[in-house]
Amino acid sequence: MKSNTRFLFSPLLLGLVIAILSLGGCSGDDGAPGVDGADGVDGVDGADGADAIILADVVPINPILDLSNTISYDQVSGTVTIHFSLTDEDGNGIDVTQGGYMDDGWELRVYATELIDNFPVDGTAGQSWTPLWNERGYPGAADPADHLPGTLTLIDAATGEYTYVCDNAMALSPNVQRIIMRARWRETIGGVRYVFANPVNNSYDFLQSDPANELASSGADMVLTENCETCHGARIGDVGHGGGYTQVKTCNNCHNVNYMTPRNGGEGDLAFMVHRIHNAGIFANLEGGADFSHVTYPQHIYTCDKCHGGAPEENLKFEIMT
């Protein structure tokens, strides 16, 4: 089986980076100490803070995260079990239990989201995702406290097959549930945390009454990730969250009316936010009043098919806050 860490720096590049990070003055007196920089800003729950990303020196492995092995749900205990596989592009299993956080290793995240009908934020009928919980951890970390809170079991290292029993319970509901998983490799060099490799996201929509059969769509999937990528390129998460999010379905986990209304008056809701940005708009609350009046859209803003074309619910009528 091939190594699953071949996307890291070559020894020469690695040595060069470490040398640059630790480089001091070559001659003469040391200068006066510089002023400490400001602390980085933490991301919102479920999102990332500002990670350094080195893309030029990364050899992609294009990991594949497959959730189609089914999800099981126990209606008595509310326990969710995810049966998944993680491989490189050649089908070799990736062992996430190797390596540890702050050295090198894989980070896994699991998000649970529910689609709620007739969401009563402003009294109008409609649909909105609402985040239920998220779990994250570093399966290879030396300290068990850094592991995922649930139970991760490696079934077959050669094929990258796992089960993960979630720590959080899921309450009974007739609504569509969505499980999202994310995997990415992280490493620290010279005290600086880097995201090295191709994060991968995948999702699984299901009804609790029939969890073993994945739904073809949730009933509210109005945009395809590949439509975004025709303009923004691969890794749409690079636009705002350090590259960790690669699917529109992942964005909806946080960027929904329920989660964003108490934070910024709902301006962070994906539909509202994306339409306003692409219409060169200005926000009243989002990030203190973000100004996108400089944004140019390469076609008429009413060219809806550019983003919505081909989506399962591209013709779904929905209201956009103005």
Side-chain angles (χ1 to χ4, degrees):
M1 183 177 68
K2 296 181 182 178
S3 168
N4 58 51
T5 61
R6 57 191 176 84
F7 49 83
L8 298 182
F9 282 140
S10 67
L12 177 60
L13 286 171
L14 182 59
L16 179 61
V17 169
I18 294 174
I20 292 173
L21 289 172
S22 60
L23 189 62
C26 294
S27 62
D29 296 333
D30 293 337
V35 178
D36 291 341
D39 292 338
V41 178
D42 291 336
V44 297
D45 293 344
D48 287 340
D51 288 316
I53 301 177
I54 297 178
L55 296 179
D57 299 314
V58 172
V59 178
I61 66 165
N62 300 316
I64 299 168
L65 178 60
D66 185 359
L67 301 187
S68 64
N69 292 326
T70 77
I71 285 177
S72 63
Y73 173 72
D74 187 318
Q75 296 193 20
V76 176
S77 65
T79 301
V80 178
T81 302
I82 306 168
H83 185 189
F84 70 96
S85 62
L86 181 64
T87 64
D88 65 17
E89 75 274 26
D90 296 324
N92 301 300
I94 293 176
D95 187 351
V96 299
T97 66
Q98 301 301 308
Y101 180 49
M102 298 308 290
D103 285 320
D104 54 70
W106 284 91
E107 176 201 46
L108 296 183
R109 296 193 184 189
V110 178
Y111 304 90
T113 309
E114 181 177 3
L115 183 63
I116 296 183
D117 290 320
N118 301 320
F119 190 73
V121 169
D122 57 2
T124 61
Q127 292 178 308
S128 175
W129 292 101
T130 185
L132 301 177
W133 40 262
N134 69 80
E135 299 178 10
R136 67 187 73 179
Y138 308 90
D143 187 347
D146 292 328
H147 293 181
L148 287 155
T151 303
L152 179 70
T153 302
L154 175 60
I155 296 175
D156 188 338
T159 61
E161 183 182 0
Y162 299 84
T163 58
Y164 179 65
V165 181
C166 300
D167 181 60
N168 286 275
M170 182 178 283
L172 278 172
S173 172
N175 299 323
V176 175
Q177 313 289 308
R178 173 170 289 169
I179 292 293
I180 298 168
M181 287 196 72
R182 188 183 90 174
R184 65 176 178 175
W185 178 275
R186 313 191 71 155
E187 184 158 326
T188 296
I189 294 178
V192 179
R193 185 175 65 176
Y194 294 92
V195 176
F196 272 95
N198 322 85
V200 60
N201 304 170
N202 211 333
S203 60
Y204 186 100
D205 293 352
F206 68 100
L207 294 172
Q208 293 177 352
S209 58
D210 188 19
N213 289 304
E214 182 180 8
L215 297 173
S217 68
S218 70
D221 293 325
M222 292 172 282
V223 175
L224 297 177
T225 300
E226 50 263 40
N227 291 352
C228 303
E229 292 176 343
T230 59
C231 289
H232 293 286
R235 297 165 52 92
I236 58 173
D238 284 355
V239 176
H241 283 293
Y245 302 96
T246 62
Q247 285 191 350
V248 170
K249 291 183 178 183
T250 313
C251 302
N252 277 329
N253 180 75
C254 292
H255 288 280
N256 53 71
V257 173
N258 186 25
Y259 188 80
M260 290 296 173
T261 295
R263 289 165 171 78
N264 47 48
E267 289 186 341
D269 173 63
L270 194 63
F272 179 84
M273 181 178 69
V274 171
H275 283 90
R276 177 153 291 192
I277 290 172
H278 288 84
N279 204 26
I282 301 173
F283 292 86
N285 302 306
L286 186 67
E287 295 187 351
D291 186 342
F292 288 89
S293 57
H294 61 285
V295 173
T296 56
Y297 192 51
Q299 55 206 318
H300 198 285
I301 191 62
Y302 293 142
T303 311
C304 302
D305 283 350
K306 177 61 181 175
C307 295
H308 297 284
E313 282 78 48
E314 63 177 299
N315 295 318
L316 184 66
K317 302 300 182 183
F318 58 97
E319 293 187 7
I320 304 172
M321 295 182 294
T322 57

